[in-house]
Amino acid sequence: GTDTLGVGVNVPIRTVLFTALTKYDGTRVRTLRAREFHQIAGRAGRAGFDTAGYVVAQAPEHVIENEKALAKAGDDPKKRRKVVRKKAPEGFVAWSDTTFEKLIAADPEPLTSRFKVTNIMLLSVIARPGDAFKAMRHLLEDNHEPRKAQLRHIRRAIAIYRSLLDGGVVEKLDTPDAEGRTIRLTVDLQQDFALNQPLSTFALASFDLLDPESPSYALDMVSVVESTLDDPRQILAAQQNKERGIAVGAMKADGIEYEERMERLQDVTYPKPLEELLLHAYDVYSKSHPWVRDHPVSPKSIIRDMYERAMTFTEFTSFYELARTEGIVLRYLAGAFKALDHTIPDDLKSEDLQDLIAWLGELVRQVDSSLLDEWEQLANPEVETAEQAQEKADQVKPVTANARAFRVLVRNAMFRRVELAALDHVNVLGELDGDAGWNADAWGDAMDGYWDEYDDLGTGPDARGPKLLQIEEDAAHGLWRVRQTFADPNGDHGWGISAEVDLAASDEEGRAVIRVTSVGELGAL
């Protein structure tokens, strides 16, 4: 049985209560589809045990408030006319008892196959013992897909296979190996290598276009991988708004008229590192691998932007006003970490790139360790009790336990101060270090001496490199002493920031806790 919309419905046993008849599907808020509604409603009762179940749909909140107000007014027509009815929130997708009845009567939408041949599917089949061609033929033809769809899947499998062969990811064997394979994965890929993105093979081919000796090599590798990931539209929109705000300020300072400003703003978008290189490479690659046209390359800079700005997760979401979409940011960071770690072959991971990947993994772990722990559990399954699983879920590894990642966190925290000093943002620096006695005035006075001597403060790849950061570990006192040297235009390297890193406080807060001790001409640590 079903109950129509109403207020104060008595909910019996074996009842499903819908608090809304709409849902957010990742793109927009929409009314439930009939299949979704029936699938949820079907939980009201157990087949073979219950002869009936109850499904109740709750009215929208503003409708309930209006009904309460009208009930309070009673039957007096004058009082009822004076009731100020609450309006639906802006952008609200409404539902009513009519919506409820339509969903009850509607036939579920027909199921549509989502089967799709992917890189990882083909690689998984090739990695198995036996004849991969025979296994794929069985997979693609022994199913309920229409013949037209089967042929489409077969053509796509052939195209992907050819791209893997051309990219050197798989190789043909003249004779079957001991396990009956006639094709196999190339042997120089690490054990956990995974081409789990549609454009992973494109990324693999594009890595050869980068110069391993370039100071920006690690960040350029990140940009290649980011260009193959799905676009997180909310983050990119926030970055574009920030860029346009900066552009408007600059144009106003230059005296550019409103109409021209608006016209120029159309060309301002979010950061797209290596855009020209990647688009050209994609165009060339797609000519011999036409299947990638279904997945356009999309240059963007989220991981790179966060790393170059030396921001923490909280600073990044605050800077771009993404507090309401932190979950989307976190999921993107976690997915990017997995792609970087598993898509880039080990022999292409420079020291700087390994540091960056370790930093990203630790950043995600400190925000929500369950995302990475779940992947690790899938990769390394082990039998554990429910209590052990819960204990593991409740524990977060100390941030200092991963020495490589923690060094990057310290380096980023120090370089964040360099970037702010270069922009003369002494007020922000004062907020960071006020508790250590370095308020805005103290920072301003210290930097005045630097600006009297130099006209510029470098913030490029060389300026943020490990060569300009010295770390002395003092385990006896539970701290690190660090010194970040400024990249001055003369190459004197005589100025910088000295600080102490509190290890215990860092573990407690899940970040590098820095206490600045001096800013100026540097002496010994």
Side-chain angles (χ1 to χ4, degrees):
T2 57
D3 253 317
T4 56
L5 285 158
V7 181
V9 176
N10 291 322
V11 182
I13 301 173
R14 302 185 309 279
T15 297
V16 168
L17 171 65
F18 284 87
T19 58
L21 295 177
T22 58
K23 65 173 285 187
Y24 178 67
D25 63 6
T27 302
R28 61 188 176 88
V29 177
R30 60 168 175 78
T31 304
L32 290 174
R33 296 191 176 97
R35 180 170 294 281
E36 295 167 335
F37 174 81
H38 284 243
Q39 190 274 331
I40 299 169
R43 296 175 182 268
R46 299 164 297 169
F49 291 89
D50 302 320
T51 57
Y54 293 85
V55 180
V56 178
Q58 184 173 296
E61 185 176 343
H62 67 280
V63 173
I64 295 174
E65 293 298 322
N66 291 337
E67 288 295 327
K68 286 181 177 179
L70 289 171
K72 189 175 181 180
D75 296 329
D76 189 332
K78 292 183 178 179
K79 289 183 179 180
R80 293 178 69 87
R81 281 196 299 270
K82 290 181 180 180
V83 171
V84 178
R85 288 173 170 78
K86 188 175 182 180
K87 295 182 179 179
E90 186 177 350
F92 179 76
V93 177
W95 72 90
S96 65
D97 51 353
T98 302
T99 310
F100 190 47
E101 295 297 336
K102 284 182 177 179
L103 286 171
I104 294 169
D107 292 326
E109 297 83 4
L111 287 173
T112 303
S113 172
R114 296 292 183 91
F115 178 82
K116 189 175 182 180
V117 179
T118 63
N119 290 279
I120 194 63
M121 176 193 294
L122 201 55
L123 287 171
S124 297
V125 172
I126 292 171
R128 299 175 191 166
D131 187 339
F133 292 106
K134 183 177 180 180
M136 280 302 298
R137 189 180 300 113
H138 174 74
L139 180 65
L140 298 176
E141 293 186 343
D142 189 13
N143 55 53
H144 296 290
E145 290 270 41
R147 185 57 182 169
K148 184 177 180 180
Q150 289 180 347
L151 293 174
R152 185 173 65 251
H153 295 320
I154 291 170
R155 287 193 296 270
R156 180 174 175 81
I158 293 172
I160 294 176
Y161 167 69
R162 287 174 177 169
S163 73
L164 294 173
L165 197 63
D166 292 343
V169 180
V170 301
E171 61 183 359
K172 289 183 179 180
L173 299 177
D174 294 331
T175 57
D177 65 11
E179 295 184 308
R181 297 187 185 91
T182 55
I183 53 173
R184 67 181 179 191
L185 299 180
T186 50
V187 296
D188 58 340
L189 299 179
Q190 63 261 35
Q191 187 175 1
D192 59 353
F193 182 82
L195 296 180
N196 51 10
Q197 296 291 335
L199 293 178
S200 291
T201 53
F202 164 72
L204 197 64
S206 300
F207 295 150
D208 291 337
L209 302 176
L210 305 180
D211 179 10
E213 301 302 319
S214 169
S216 62
Y217 173 75
L219 291 172
D220 290 343
M221 292 287 280
V222 170
S223 293
V224 171
V225 173
E226 283 203 85
S227 73
T228 68
L229 303 179
D230 291 338
D231 287 346
R233 291 176 296 102
Q234 294 89 336
I235 305 175
L236 298 182
Q239 287 183 316
Q240 179 171 281
N241 289 338
K242 180 68 71 172
E243 292 294 325
R244 288 184 172 180
I246 295 171
V248 166
M251 286 188 282
K252 284 182 177 180
D254 292 339
I256 298 173
E257 296 297 327
Y258 175 80
E259 289 77 10
E260 186 177 351
R261 290 203 305 268
M262 294 301 101
E263 185 176 345
R264 290 190 183 185
L265 276 183
Q266 299 307 310
D267 297 326
V268 178
T269 184
Y270 51 86
K272 298 179 179 181
L274 306 183
E275 180 180 22
E276 185 176 345
L277 173 69
L278 289 169
L279 292 180
H280 175 71
Y282 178 81
D283 185 56
V284 172
Y285 186 82
S286 62
K287 289 177 181 177
S288 56
H289 307 82
W291 60 270
V292 302
R293 287 291 184 185
D294 293 335
H295 306 279
V297 68
S298 178
K300 50 187 166 289
S301 179
I302 296 172
I303 306 301
R304 181 169 185 159
D305 185 32
M306 180 182 288
Y307 192 79
E308 287 186 314
R309 294 181 187 275
M311 286 181 168
T312 63
F313 179 84
T314 302
E315 288 171 339
F316 183 83
T317 54
S318 175
F319 181 74
Y320 286 113
E321 300 178 5
L322 291 165
R324 293 188 176 183
T325 53
E326 284 186 348
I328 293 172
V329 179
L330 183 60
R331 283 193 295 275
Y332 179 84
L333 298 183
F337 167 72
K338 187 178 181 183
L340 287 166
D341 194 33
H342 292 173
T343 302
I344 303 175
D346 281 341
D347 60 351
L348 296 183
K349 292 176 181 174
S350 64
E351 285 291 323
D352 286 348
L353 183 53
Q354 291 180 52
D355 286 347
L356 192 154
I357 294 172
W359 159 80
L360 181 57
E362 192 61 32
L363 184 148
V364 173
R365 189 182 302 281
Q366 292 301 321
V367 177
D368 185 354
S369 63
S370 63
L371 288 173
L372 302 187
D373 290 341
E374 184 176 338
W375 287 339
E376 290 177 2
Q377 176 66 18
L378 290 173
N380 303 291
E382 58 184 27
V383 178
E384 59 182 16
T385 66
E387 291 182 358
Q388 289 173 328
Q390 185 60 48
E391 183 179 352
K392 183 186 291 184
D394 292 340
Q395 292 177 347
V396 178
K397 294 179 181 177
V399 70
T400 59
N402 187 336
R404 171 170 237 146
F406 187 64
R407 279 180 171 267
V408 180
L409 291 174
V410 171
R411 188 196 309 168
N412 283 357
M414 295 299 290
F415 195 72
R416 174 75 172 143
R417 288 161 170 81
V418 174
E419 287 195 313
L420 293 171
L423 296 170
D424 202 29
H425 289 174
V426 293
N427 288 330
V428 181
L429 286 165
E431 292 175 4
L432 277 176
D433 301 313
D435 292 342
W438 284 87
N439 58 20
D441 291 337
W443 268 101
D445 292 341
M447 290 305 299
D448 283 344
Y450 179 85
W451 297 123
D452 288 342
E453 192 170 345
Y454 302 104
D455 296 327
D456 186 41
L457 176 54
T459 57
D462 290 329
R464 71 171 301 131
K467 293 180 180 179
L468 296 186
L469 180 70
Q470 291 178 265
I471 298 177
E472 178 186 287
E473 299 183 17
D474 187 351
H477 294 89
L479 55 83
W480 288 1
R481 294 185 177 87
V482 297
R483 183 170 71 191
Q484 175 67 58
T485 302
F486 288 165
D488 60 81
N490 298 342
D492 296 334
H493 295 162
W495 281 70
I497 308 167
S498 294
E500 293 179 346
V501 184
D502 188 326
L503 302 183
S506 297
D507 282 337
E508 185 176 344
E509 297 188 27
R511 63 182 181 88
V513 176
I514 305 291
R515 185 175 70 84
V516 173
T517 56
S518 69
V519 180
E521 292 187 274
L522 298 171
L525 270 174

